Amino acid sequence: MSAVLSFPTAQDEIISYNPATREEFGRAGCASVEEVRAAVQKSRQAFEKWKETSFKERARFVMRAREIILDELDEIARLISDESGKPIAEALSMEIAPVLDLMQYFARNAAKILKPERINIGLYATMGRTSKIIYKPLGTVGIIPAWNYPFSIPLGEAVMALMAGNAVIVKPSELTPFIGLKIGEIFEKVGLPENVLQVVTGDGRTGAALVDAGIEKIMFTGSVATGKKIAESAAKHLTSVVLELGGKDPMIVFADANLKLAAQGAIWGAFCNSGQSCSSVERLYVEESVAEEFTELIVEKTKRLNQNSGDKETTDVAAMSSERQIKIVEDHIESFRNEGAKILTGGKRNANLKGAFYEPTVISNATNEMRGMREETFGPTLPIATFKAEQEAIDLANDSDFGLTASVWTGDLEKGRRVAEKILAGTVCVNEVLYTHGIGQTPWGGFKQSGYGRTHGRHGLMELVAPQHIHVNRALLAPNAWWLPYSPLAVETFRGFARHFAGGSLRQTIKLAPQLLKRIKELRGK
Ligand code: NDP
């Protein structure tokens, strides 16, 4: 077994910065179109052997990679924190721990999930036929993640793709290339066969080259605008794409909820990762009768949050990933102000810190008409609106172009489930918020502009394989009644098919037997 890692040798460079200090973190290559093509070619060769490995062999590599991550736990957490800006606590709790769990789950269960499946083909079985589905790997899977969960998202998807028998190329975000390269290094250390997993650093052009390389699958996580470009470009090659895009996720708090718990949930849901989660709480709807009490709780708790650089263990809210992202937050806060909402706390950069820090911000008097309630903010902001009745809350939550996740908070679980089922989002939690991307067993993905396709769970694994139907006819004595040539007898038999066989009832179909025998006799004579 030899090395897996592919460091681009391009002359172009991308520069990564520590968002907390604004200092240069490092420089990585920016792979050109030719280099991406070369990586794809190597990937195709590697795939030919990798697809023949057993699930057990694949699982061994994945479980060894887990061990490496555990051995280097603090070092990796620090790398994630330094390059992406997030608190070390979240690097551990929201990236490393969940992906370790995902790794063990798919290492242990991929074989079971992708086991060949016998299909019940109803009356066709009475004619001596059998059908089964086998799941074949696709080939090369390209993973293009965003910068906000730069370790867990690409690593989780890579593990699933590898377990399914695919070769993988990861193109990390230009903001977090070294976290991407770390994923390659981990698999290099476990001796994954060469080029089965490659990491190709670069910017949007490198990502575009990967999409344009005619590979078998693209797993994309990012903005709606880039997602649409990718879908368009992938269509030229009929490359299938999973799009995990933006969100504007609603949280509905009913008056009968445990308000203290809901307030804690809201604060974590809105401010963890500085609000830069696709499933961040970006719209909070609270029942009017408790709105004042609930808002006070939120403001009081928000004011107590400790904002500092991510490397400190006591940091609650750290730096944002980039200047570009802070500017979007500033723009939305400005528009909230201009449209009549009230900023209750925050609403500005943190002047005591020199990096990309925006204070956790709570906004009241928000309405769905405001721009900040419609466009994705992706920052530490929590706009609060009110409602009077259950149906109004549902309507407000659904009044969005996005549909990634949502949450409903109530002491009445039946009401919680009822409301959850009426919300148009890929995941709806009752008395929980945001964290379900961390459950590797459950599907992740959105409705509407939040994208299509799924990652994680059985549905996510199925995105990474092609189901192949193997159909066998064990009755080798007679031709099929529907074969050529046709005749009046044939047409009469087919009428019988439509009337009896197609009803799915054996008793009805038996009525066809004399006709069928005549027809088969007719065909035998031809
Ligand atoms: P972008 O769409 O800007 O970038 C996403 C990735 O695509 C990056 O790796 C980027 O590379 C790459 N890229 C950029 N242009 C192209 C192109 N033309 N062809 C191929 N690849 C390209 O998104 P952000 O990185 O800003 O991520 C934030 C977005 O991601 C938010 O909308 C957020 O909601 C969403 N997201 C969705 C999740 C989900 O599960 N639904 C999870 C996490 C985030 P580079 O960075 O080098 O330009």
Side-chain angles (χ1 to χ4, degrees), residues 145 147-148 171 173-174 207 220 222-223 226 245-246 278 324 376 444:
W147 41 261
N148 62 340
K171 200 302 280 179
S173 164
E174 66 187 299
F220 172 76
S223 61
T226 311
L245 309 179
C278 44
R324 184 189 72 173
E376 188 179 47
W444 180 264

Side-chain angles (χ1 to χ4, degrees), residues 29 39 48 137 148 203 237 264 281 337 363 440 489 492 497 500 521:
E48 290 307 317
N148 62 340
D203 57 19
H237 304 276
Q264 272 177 306
V281 175
R337 279 200 180 99
I363 303 145
L489 180 61
E492 189 48 30
F497 277 177
H500 305 296
K521 209 164 150 199

Side-chain angles (χ1 to χ4, degrees), residues 366-429:
T367 68
N368 271 15
E369 287 64 48
M370 296 178 178
R371 192 156 65 82
M373 292 286 273
R374 308 207 71 80
E375 295 172 12
E376 188 179 47
T377 308
F378 228 53
T381 58
L382 180 54
I384 303 176
T386 59
F387 66 90
K388 287 198 184 87
E390 184 177 314
Q391 189 55 46
E392 186 191 359
I394 296 166
D395 293 343
L396 286 167
N398 283 337
D399 175 25
S400 172
D401 291 339
F402 296 100
L404 188 58
T405 79
S407 70
V408 182
W409 296 72
T410 169
D412 175 351
L413 294 187
E414 202 180 307
K415 175 163 78 178
R417 288 193 194 98
R418 181 174 70 229
V419 172
E421 286 179 20
K422 289 188 181 150
I423 292 178
L424 298 171
T427 298
V428 187
C429 296

Side-chain angles (χ1 to χ4, degrees), residues 272-340:
C272 69
N273 208 22
S274 281
Q276 301 166 116
S277 302
C278 44
S279 48
S280 288
V281 175
E282 293 219 1
R283 297 179 286 146
L284 195 149
Y285 302 103
V286 57
E287 196 162 348
E288 203 175 70
S289 57
V290 294
E292 204 178 316
E293 178 191 351
F294 185 70
T295 307
E296 270 169 26
L297 271 174
I298 297 248
V299 172
E300 181 236 320
K301 286 180 192 302
T302 303
K303 283 184 173 162
R304 279 197 266 131
L305 295 174
N306 176 24
Q307 187 166 43
N308 211 329
S309 60
D311 58 345
K312 301 194 171 40
E313 292 196 357
T314 51
T315 294
D316 298 315
V317 181
M320 296 192 63
S321 63
S322 66
E323 188 57 28
R324 184 189 72 173
Q325 209 52 47
I326 280 212
K327 288 217 163 91
I328 298 172
V329 177
E330 285 180 326
D331 176 42
H332 281 193
I333 293 296
E334 191 55 25
S335 77
F336 270 123
R337 279 200 180 99
N338 293 338
E339 291 173 88

